[in-house]
Amino acid sequence: MPEGASYYHAVSVVKALGIINGQNEYQFAPERAITVPEAVKTVLCALGYGARAEKAGGYPNGYASVAATLKFAYRQGDLTWQEAAALAERACEVY
């Protein structure tokens, strides 16, 4: 990720907080569409459920399990705007 990118600071902060990991230790793809499992993992980590999901099996199955327990919608594929809004709404309800 280039240091001059407009999203560099934001990505650096959420990575440092352990909310996102990237495709690997050195590569993020912020221009690529995010999938539902990736979005749910990000939200669960932001809400403090990352350790619980890792204990339940990690990514993706442990996160899917915790998402189901918390009644988050979960499917394979790219996240739509409607799903993003529903995910944000559910995150607010859980928080």
Side-chain angles (χ1 to χ4, degrees), residues 9-20:
H9 179 72
V11 170
S12 297
V13 169
V14 292
K15 182 180 187 297
L17 292 171
I19 294 171
I20 62 170

Side-chain angles (χ1 to χ4, degrees), residues 29-36 38 77-79:
E31 304 293 331
R32 179 182 63 76
I34 188 169
T35 66
V36 173
E38 292 167 341
D78 290 346
L79 186 72

Side-chain angles (χ1 to χ4, degrees), residues 24-50:
N24 60 46
E25 186 176 344
Y26 305 103
Q27 184 179 7
F28 287 85
E31 304 293 331
R32 179 182 63 76
I34 188 169
T35 66
V36 173
E38 292 167 341
V40 169
K41 179 185 185 291
T42 301
V43 169
L44 290 178
C45 288
L47 290 172
Y49 288 94

Side-chain angles (χ1 to χ4, degrees), residues 63-93:
Y63 286 88
S65 175
V66 172
T69 301
L70 296 171
K71 296 182 174 47
F72 280 94
Y74 193 92
R75 67 168 184 84
Q76 296 301 314
D78 290 346
L79 186 72
T80 66
W81 284 107
Q82 294 83 1
E83 288 169 323
L87 182 59
E89 180 179 25
R90 183 67 190 134
C92 290
E93 292 169 353

